[in-house]
């Protein structure tokens, strides 16, 4: 998909926002939704998306929505690092298929990195649902605690 493609309201993240597809939700407010990546590249791989902005990528998202997304990215990165204690964490965002984008609703990746562990192949290997459920419960507890 090109950088100037028209937004497709049937993309999987739009379906998740509408409640038409499931997700392992970690956080939601009026503007932002965050959930576990179904094909994680590392343990704790999380996605954060705007709910109200029909934007494919960083070029067409409105800056107010983007600011709300990045604020949640920071909160969740702090909670994920506190809970999972990775040695590093990547925050990434891809625009257009040649840059690695596979879902064309703007999103930020939070990818914890562990020393000695390589990165899994992008969007390739589906995680075990039981593992995702356990991880979701763990992170939800930590997020609730960090919000006081
Ligand atoms: P990108 O390639 O940057 O567009 O990232 C899209 C991400 O969405 C990839 O990391 C996929 O593993 C992930 N993904 C695709 N479908 C789902 C889904 N139904 N639920 C959660 N994550 C998904």
């Amino acid at each position: 998909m090109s950088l100037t493609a028209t937004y497709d309201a049937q993309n999987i993240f739009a379906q998740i926002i509408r409640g038409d597809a499931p997700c392992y939700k970690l956080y939601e407010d009026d503007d932002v939704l965050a959930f576990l990546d179904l094909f994680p590249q590392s343990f704790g791989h999380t996605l954060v998306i705007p709910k109200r902005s029909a934007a494919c990528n960083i070029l067409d998202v409105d800056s107010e929505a983007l600011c709300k997304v990045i604020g949640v990215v920071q909160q969740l990165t702090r909670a994920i690092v506190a809970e999972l204690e990775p040695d590093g964490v990547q925050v990434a965002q891809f625009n257009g298929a040649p840059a690695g984008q596979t879902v064309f609703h703007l999103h930020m990746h939070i990818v914890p990195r562990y020393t000695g562990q390589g990165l899994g192949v992008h969007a390739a290997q589906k995680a075990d649902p039981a593992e995702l459920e356990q991880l979701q419960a763990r992170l939800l507890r930590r997020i609730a605690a960090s919000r006081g």
Side-chain angles (χ1 to χ4, degrees):
M1 181 106 58
S2 79
L3 285 175
T4 53
T6 308
Y7 184 83
D8 174 9
Q10 292 310 317
N11 78 74
I12 184 64
F13 292 174
Q15 291 181 42
I16 289 172
I17 291 167
R18 290 196 297 269
D20 293 342
C23 72
Y24 294 89
K25 190 188 296 183
L26 295 181
Y27 175 85
E28 182 168 23
D29 63 27
D30 287 347
D31 301 293
V32 181
L33 177 66
F35 48 91
L36 293 174
D37 197 296
L38 209 50
F39 307 85
Q41 288 185 266
S42 74
F43 187 59
H45 186 167
T46 295
L47 301 170
V48 185
I49 68 175
K51 285 169 61 179
R52 296 173 186 270
S53 192
C56 294
N57 58 48
I58 201 159
L59 301 175
D60 54 2
V61 67
D62 62 285
S63 57
E64 195 183 337
L66 186 60
C67 286
K68 287 176 175 163
V69 166
I70 199 70
V72 172
V73 167
Q74 186 185 40
Q75 283 173 33
L76 291 186
T77 301
R78 285 176 171 154
I80 288 166
V81 167
E83 181 63 29
L84 304 182
E85 300 182 327
D87 303 295
V89 61
Q90 291 176 333
V91 173
Q93 190 272 320
F94 307 139
N95 302 284
Q101 188 175 13
T102 59
V103 177
F104 297 91
H105 177 108
L106 176 103
H107 53 281
M108 307 282 303
H109 295 261
I110 303 170
V111 185
R113 297 301 306 270
Y114 306 90
T115 300
Q117 288 183 25
L119 207 55
V121 179
H122 186 58
Q125 173 103 28
K126 197 169 183 177
D128 174 15
E131 195 175 295
L132 287 178
E133 265 174 42
Q134 279 179 10
L135 176 59
Q136 179 192 30
R138 237 179 114 177
L139 290 174
L140 284 174
R141 277 195 298 274
R142 174 64 72 164
I143 292 161
S146 67
R147 292 169 71 82

